[in-house]
Amino acid sequence: MTLSLDDARRVIAAGQAATAEIACSIVVVDNARMLVAAERMDGARMLAADVAQKKAETAAAFGIDTKRFCEMVEADARRLAVFAADPAVKLLWGGVPLVREGLIVGAVGVSGGTDEQDHRIAQVAAGVVA
């Protein structure tokens, strides 16, 4: 099962519709962590796009949202030391796997707001794939 460009565009549109209060970047990757689509809203910080992509890649790689991943890692000092030093992993909320028929087909990453805002927007955006 794959993630199409049309799927990614729908995910981004849902994320953009879910945010009126912040300017953010929304990035969609496939299950191999390869970029499918990205949008940086007007006013979003330049670095937000890179952070959003790393959040999406982390969610796709581990198959769980980055909020839960952060909670698991932060509870174990050894894991925290390993993952905090890995530049491919982002220990920030805002990455959510995209699941279709029980299979992970990719992930969405959102960056630009607080952890809670990014996580909420990513959850809404991911909901359109099912």
Side-chain angles (χ1 to χ4, degrees):
M1 186 149 310
T2 62
L3 181 72
S4 70
L5 179 57
D6 285 339
D7 291 332
R9 287 179 174 153
R10 283 195 341 269
V11 168
I12 290 171
Q16 289 174 328
T19 178
E21 71 275 11
I22 61 168
C24 63
S25 289
I26 303 172
V27 175
V28 177
V29 300
D30 63 17
N31 58 0
R33 303 182 317 174
M34 300 303 294
L35 179 66
V36 178
E39 290 277 336
R40 186 173 59 86
M41 297 170 71
D42 292 339
R45 290 169 282 146
M46 297 295 258
L47 187 57
D50 182 57
V51 173
Q53 184 163 348
K54 294 284 190 243
K55 289 178 181 184
E57 291 170 0
T58 300
F62 293 96
I64 59 173
D65 69 66
T66 56
K67 175 183 185 274
R68 187 166 154 225
F69 181 70
C70 286
E71 292 167 348
M72 289 172 35
V73 168
E74 290 167 359
D76 181 334
R78 184 181 57 79
R79 280 187 189 169
L80 181 58
V82 169
F83 289 120
D86 187 340
V89 174
K90 213 32 123 175
L91 292 177
L92 295 169
W93 298 10
V96 175
L98 301 175
V99 181
R100 179 180 288 137
E101 297 178 18
L103 299 173
I104 296 171
V105 295
V108 58
V110 176
S111 182
T114 65
D115 278 344
E116 291 80 6
Q117 289 170 322
D118 290 352
H119 180 69
R120 179 186 54 79
I121 294 164
Q123 285 182 307
V124 169
V128 302
V129 171

